[in-house]
């Protein structure tokens, strides 16, 4: 009996909006979006889930949201806005997953309703996961509140939670229904979170966009001094590059190439080695320095370009060394990354600023040498 | 700052193979498939998860699988084959989800490895769910062992588990890597399971394919007498119609139309009302009878065609009434289905044999009347 062949495409589309004070009564961005999606005969509900870090920094936010939706008749906002702890810890807690699934059940959130997450990358990852597995996927709106989530994780297609300490062991690929980047939230970030998200912009510039790298060099001092206009441009351009990469490549990562993981093999391990004391973006800044120096030692990247990269990171205030790099802990990360990829290593390195290239082997002696240089530089900055 | 628009397609493809004695040493279907997918540098693992009902009926199966893979070097079979309870109960047990996630973790099953599920629809749904959420989606091979899973659920793109008694509350859309339908497993089905899966073929014929309905009428007695060739044709044609429907429509059900749910609104509720004592296919047979009679009462379906449908079901041995239809329990299912669809009801009914049409309202008095007819016919069969 002949074999049956199945073949189809699924189309995914979503918009990333840029706004300011999303819940100001005069800002119609969000409500216009919902009105445009209104369909006769369907009562759509809206369940808000917020990052405690955000509600602490914006104590009036819950009331603002309620007031914003009070006159809106096209959707039914669930009056119980749910506040959960943020940060990596929220992805380690299975009870939070259960709490959110229970809320979706209790409030009757169906496949035509929306779950709206407001918070940093961890809360978005957690809520996105819960939305993706409930009723085989509920519509999910993301309102990222950090630089990292507005320019990278929050606008992409992944979600996930940790399982027994294993980062993102459980998760899925599930594009959001829409993303709303609100610059107001950036103002209350602490300096570490403001800075950390910039490393993903450096990363994507280094592998894809030399002019953007030059813009970063030109604007490094403004960014370090918390210039909001410069940061908004950075986020917009970084998000654009990220979205283009997803759309033009392998959105659900069915192959094994992961170019956006430049600088990340060591960063993931550093986060784990420091028990997440170091933030993701801080670890990525170190990972970028490490892989750039490594690319130079291979003779691929000029010394001048390597120094431009290290200097940009220093100007932005990043530390390029962490004591957890001592010993061979981070080298274990290379093996774990190899295993994670199914046995064959694929690592992005640099041929030039704006031009990445993939390799399948890394020389551990050379890595140790590069770590030594980073350590030495840290003690006596160049 | 201008809005960014994201838009991309994800391509999904998989084959449904038809074979006999898949693990016979001379049958290379499965091993050829794996060899063709072998890629240099990757060690792919194979984790088997089996339905206890299947290993009970086929006590040599575990040893056969081990012997089949002993000489195969292109994949690493995990020597610990996992056997779990089957049936709807397996989808109610969160401990089984944890047990399978732990196995994926313990045996290092990565995104290039395969999880192979052998069993009925419930085990396939459960294993498919675990595979879909682990590492954001592990490659998943399905070997369905019942008529229902070989012609319907096992070849489609859905998975899921129940949550606090709510059917398929957790789940996702995740196409399998491949499906292998092995007719050997059909021989050991009990009569109820053999018969139950036929109702999905009647359903798809009624809404899409008049010649297939006529084939079912012609072959009803053979099917009732457990003719394996007739059943293999039925499964192949039903699977083909099902796959075409998925590919040409809305594979991940982003809209609200669900034509394949013909006869299902009452069937889902009947399953729940009988605490799953009635099997899914048996409930669907009743649901088809109910919605066909309802279509006739609307003046859409001729009395002759309605009788053909009821007679086909009776010839196959289905009961067309269940005491749980008494009272208004099943009418509550209509409201639950409306809620599930987001407030607007969409129900498939029949204009003719082979031609479905959707309605957005159903008359509860007429439903009660039709249930009365089914009850009367049951006492004095026509």
């Amino acid at each position: 009996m002949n074999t049956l062949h199945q073949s189809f495409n699924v189309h995914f589309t979503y918009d990333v909006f840029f706004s300011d004070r999303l819940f100001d009564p005069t800002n119609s961005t969000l409500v216009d979006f919902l009105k445009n999606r209104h369909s006769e005969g369907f009562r759509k509900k809206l369940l808000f889930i917020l990052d405690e870090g955000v509600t602490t920094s914006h104590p009036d936010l819950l009331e603002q949201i309620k007031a914003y939706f009070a006159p809106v008749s096209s959707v039914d906002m669930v009056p119980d806005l749910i506040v959960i702890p943020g940060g990596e810890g929220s992805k380690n807690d299975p009870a939070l997953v259960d709490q959110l699934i229970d809320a979706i059940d209790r409030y009757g959130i169906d496949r035509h309703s929306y779950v709206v997450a407001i918070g940093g990358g961890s809360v978005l990852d957690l809520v996105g996961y819960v939305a993706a597995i409930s009723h085989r996927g509920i519509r999910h709106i993301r309102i990222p509140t950090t630089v990292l989530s507005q320019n990278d994780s929050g606008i992409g297609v992944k979600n996930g939670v940790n399982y027994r300490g294993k980062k993102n062991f459980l998760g899925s690929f599930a594009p959001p229904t829409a993303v709303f980047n609100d610059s107001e939230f950036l103002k209350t970030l602490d300096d570490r979170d403001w800075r950390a998200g910039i490393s993903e912009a450096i990363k994507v510039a280094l592998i894809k966009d030399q002019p953007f790298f030059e813009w970063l060099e030109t604007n490094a001092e403004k960014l370090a001094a918390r210039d909001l206009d410069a940061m908004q441009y950075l986020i917009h351009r970084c998000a654009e590059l990220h979205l283009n990469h997803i759309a033009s490549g392998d959105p659900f990562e069915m192959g094994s190439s992961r170019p956006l993981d430049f600088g990340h093999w060591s960063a993931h391990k550093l986060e784990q080695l420091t028990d997440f004391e170091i933030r993701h973006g801080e670890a990525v800044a170190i990972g970028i320095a490490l892989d750039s120096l490594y690319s130079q030692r291979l003779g691929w990247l000029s010394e001048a370009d390597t120094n431009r990269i290290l200097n940009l990171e220093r100007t932005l205030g990043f530390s390029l060394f962490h004591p957890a790099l001592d010993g061979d802990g981070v080298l274990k990360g290379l093996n774990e990354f190899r295993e994670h990829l199914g046995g064959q290593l694929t690592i992005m390195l640099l041929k030039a600023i704006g031009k990445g290239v993939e390799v399948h082997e890394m020389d551990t002696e050379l890595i140790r040498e590069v770590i030594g240089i980073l350590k030495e530089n840290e003690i006596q900055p160049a």
Side-chain angles (χ1 to χ4, degrees), chain A residues 124-189:
Chain A
L124 301 187
D125 271 1
L126 165 65
V127 176
Y129 174 66
V130 168
I133 62 173
S134 298
H135 295 302
R136 298 201 183 99
I138 288 171
R139 294 164 198 223
H140 173 41
I141 292 174
R142 299 202 197 119
I143 303 180
T145 57
T146 61
V147 174
L148 186 66
S149 55
Q150 289 196 1
N151 72 8
D152 187 282
S153 62
I155 56 139
V157 298
K158 298 190 203 180
N159 59 57
V161 295
N162 308 332
Y163 180 74
R164 302 198 176 171
K166 303 217 170 184
K167 197 167 162 77
N168 296 326
F169 192 91
L170 299 178
S172 73
F173 292 91
T177 300
V179 181
F180 294 86
N181 276 346
D182 182 344
S183 63
E184 183 68 14
F185 291 116
L186 304 175
K187 295 179 186 167
T188 52
L189 294 177

Side-chain angles (χ1 to χ4, degrees), chain A residues 73-122:
Chain A
S73 61
S74 54
V75 288
D76 295 336
M77 192 192 78
V78 173
D80 179 13
L81 287 79
I82 299 171
V83 179
I84 58 171
E88 191 68 24
S90 65
K91 292 174 65 174
N92 285 324
D93 185 359
L96 280 178
V97 173
D98 285 341
Q99 181 194 335
L100 298 183
I101 291 171
D102 281 345
I104 285 168
D105 181 18
R106 188 166 61 253
Y107 296 117
I109 306 301
D110 57 40
R111 284 170 56 80
H112 294 275
S113 296
Y114 301 95
V115 171
V116 188
I118 305 181
S122 295

